[in-house]
Amino acid sequence: DCRQYTNRSCEECLKNVTCLWCASTGRCLEYPVRRILPPADLCELRSARWGVCWVNFEALIIAMSVVGGTILLMLGVCCCCCCKKKSKKQVSEGPDKDDERAARERERRRVRQEERRAEMKSRHDEIRRKYGTV
């Protein structure tokens, strides 16, 4: 029973994890497990201690809110950075594909031109042989 630690020390009260120390009244109470936070009529948040004596519920709530908000903010920034990076990558892929397509087209034209040159050379050689100007 937590009440036996009333008017003793916070450390003694909190050795039992089911106990709540109220610093303003010096009472050791059963923690109201059905509620997340102890009600104000039981003990004020700034006076309530649970787990450790040096952190009150008010400071714990503020600290948890700051940490939670920071984590959410960091996740949001990371998501924005990833989306931006992905969209930049997609934009940069477009010109690369166009460049590749243009390079393939240039290569096809070069091959066709070489084929035409070879064909013209063979025709000219044939005409020269026909008329004996070789």
Side-chain angles (χ1 to χ4, degrees):
D1 186 26
C2 293
R3 291 184 187 153
Q4 68 185 7
Y5 298 110
T6 297
N7 293 327
R8 291 193 185 173
S9 70
C10 175
E11 287 80 15
E12 286 182 49
C13 174
L14 296 183
K15 283 181 183 176
N16 185 350
V17 293
T18 62
C19 295
L20 169 76
W21 177 257
C22 189
S24 61
T25 61
R27 296 185 319 174
C28 189
L29 310 162
E30 290 285 327
Y31 187 85
V33 292
R34 294 184 188 263
R35 303 183 74 176
I36 296 173
L37 300 174
D41 60 334
L42 187 63
C43 187
E44 292 180 343
L45 286 179
R46 73 178 72 111
S47 298
R49 309 285 195 270
W50 181 70
V52 289
C53 293
W54 52 272
V55 177
N56 64 35
F57 266 94
E58 198 171 53
L60 185 65
I61 291 169
I62 292 169
M64 294 296 280
S65 299
V66 168
V67 169
T70 303
I71 289 171
L72 287 174
L73 185 66
M74 287 172 34
L75 284 173
V77 168
C78 286
C79 288
C80 288
C81 288
C82 288
C83 291
K84 208 172 232 185
K85 193 176 197 181
K86 192 173 184 179
S87 68
K88 280 185 180 180
K89 189 174 183 182
Q90 287 176 349
V91 167
S92 67
E93 283 178 2
D96 289 342
K97 288 181 180 180
D98 290 341
D99 291 344
E100 288 176 21
R101 193 177 313 133
R104 283 194 304 262
E105 185 64 32
R106 279 193 304 271
E107 183 62 24
R108 272 191 239 127
R109 286 181 188 159
R110 187 185 63 77
V111 169
R112 268 190 275 149
Q113 188 175 12
E114 286 177 10
E115 288 173 356
R116 277 193 235 123
R117 279 187 187 153
E119 191 178 309
M120 288 298 288
K121 187 176 187 298
S122 69
R123 278 189 197 161
H124 287 153
D125 289 346
E126 195 177 305
I127 291 171
R128 284 186 190 116
R129 263 184 270 130
K130 183 178 178 180
Y131 294 108
T133 58
V134 179

